[in-house]
Amino acid sequence: MDPRRQVPRTDAVMADPRLAHAAERLGRAIVKCAVGAAQQRVRNGEIPPAAVAEAALAELPEHATTLRPVINATGVLLHTNLGRAPLSDAARTALTAAAGCADVEYDLATGRRGPRGGGTLAALREACPAAEAVQIVNNNAAALVLAATALAAGREIIISRGEMVEIGDGFRLPDLLETTGARLREVGTTNRTTAGDYAAAIGPGTGFILKVHPSNFRIEGFTASAPVDALAAFDVPLVVDIGSGLLAPDPALPDEPDATTVLNAGADLVTASADKLLGGPQGGLILGKRDRVEQLRRHPLYRALRVDKLTLAALEATLRGPRPPVDRMLHTPVRDLRARAEVLAKDMAAQGIDALAVDTTAAVGGGGAPGVDLPSAAISLPATYESPLRARRVIGRIENGRLLLDLRSTGPADDGPLQVAVLASKEAEV
């Protein structure tokens, strides 16, 4: 055998102190896989046998997960494919605090079992005083399934035809609700549904009225939608899915429904997502009248849908801590974004990069505030930068033949890494 291709034994390579330390941090299987890949490179004649350890070290991931952090420069604040809302530093710290054993369901004062997630539920109640009671499940779809199962299994849910939405990835609201054993009673038309349409459909078999905010599309023109207060006047429960998780009115999104306004208008229950405009981890929020929330909590299905200690910790920190990144991204003045873009583009241009600071528009995304354009600023680069930047975990968007790195969906702390990634992509092209 050619000595230049003599592959060192796995156990000998794994004994390298650097790889042994990596095995303690990442796990032996991950390190062994990297060593195997480096050994194959020796067989292929790509590297000498003495370089196996170095090659394996270079291939090791940062973390023991295939999920990798990215910089979201797409201009979509709540990008579903990129994990929706980025967590605040307070929420990330809370995750670490709860990662080991924690008093998630234990009363330290008495030494007995305590209420699960009491601190998080209290924080949510404080953030939305209009709710008599609150509960948390693992996403908004779960909140709707629990409501339909507890209140309308074997009965009818009255819903406007124009609110029979598809919620993403081929999942449709009617299909979701019908799995609970409830029957859907469509009323009105695609573009117009009045309170009278609901009234005519109410009968002995009615479980509840469901009003759904069409958060991922918008119908304009000759339209009509029954207001919450008119539906709350009927003698049947009213459940309102507001979608994006806004707890109180926000001037930046005047047409986006919020939990406080809807509850004050008389809704029995409000459901929403926690990982959108609220800026927290994935979760489904249930807010409303005490008896209805308790009815859902006591249903056997709730046990299958409840959240774990990590979600409870991150959500409480989001509610009690400093404003989360999504709030900052939504409300940063466009002049501040322009200033950042101009500095970055100037520095990049000084290094021979075809970079320009341009005005553009961003979007809320994540099924929130459809049709709302957010004024923004971006760094415009040749489209050829898209692939090498993506390899460096910077995700932008192509628009009019150029790559835009939209700064509304990033923070000032991302500016340095962005510049480094762009420069490295230029050098890679050369």
Side-chain angles (χ1 to χ4, degrees), residues 1 4 63 98 150 153 158 201 204 226 232 253 267-268 313-314 317 348 366 368 392 399:
M1 177 184 291
R4 292 173 299 178
H63 309 285
I158 301 175
L253 303 170
D268 292 271
M348 292 175 187
R392 291 168 175 80
E399 194 171 286

Side-chain angles (χ1 to χ4, degrees), residues 195-391:
D197 293 321
Y198 292 91
I202 294 173
T206 300
F208 62 85
I209 292 173
L210 174 61
K211 186 170 179 60
V212 178
H213 174 54
S215 57
N216 56 6
F217 70 96
R218 185 172 62 179
I219 299 177
E220 297 179 336
F222 186 56
T223 63
S225 176
V228 171
D229 57 355
L231 299 181
F234 299 130
D235 191 24
V236 293
L238 172 61
V239 179
V240 181
D241 171 16
I242 63 171
S244 61
L246 204 59
L247 296 185
D250 189 324
L253 303 170
D255 296 326
E256 192 72 7
D258 67 276
T260 297
T261 300
V262 171
L263 288 169
N264 286 336
D268 292 271
L269 291 173
V270 168
T271 70
S273 295
D275 57 342
K276 296 182 181 179
L277 291 175
L278 184 60
Q282 177 179 299
L285 309 180
I286 301 171
L287 311 99
K289 295 181 178 177
R290 185 171 289 102
D291 59 341
R292 295 300 181 188
V293 174
E294 183 65 9
Q295 189 175 352
L296 268 58
R297 188 192 70 80
R298 294 183 64 83
H299 194 280
L301 183 60
Y302 167 72
R303 184 65 172 76
L305 302 177
R306 71 181 190 179
V307 296
D308 72 333
K309 62 182 180 180
L310 299 181
T311 301
L312 290 170
L315 182 55
E316 182 176 359
T318 299
L319 291 163
R320 294 193 187 279
R323 65 176 185 158
V326 67
D327 187 66
R328 171 190 50 75
M329 292 188 293
L330 186 62
H331 296 100
T332 297
V334 69
R335 64 177 179 274
D336 293 352
L337 302 178
R338 288 194 188 107
R340 287 172 54 201
E342 288 167 2
V343 169
L344 285 168
K346 182 179 179 180
D347 289 347
M348 292 175 187
Q351 299 182 71
I353 297 170
D354 178 13
L356 302 170
V358 298
D359 288 337
T360 187
T361 55
V364 173
V372 174
D373 291 332
L374 304 172
S376 188
I379 304 157
S380 172
L381 298 167
T384 53
Y385 276 75
E386 191 273 337
S387 181
L389 276 174
R390 182 160 31 85

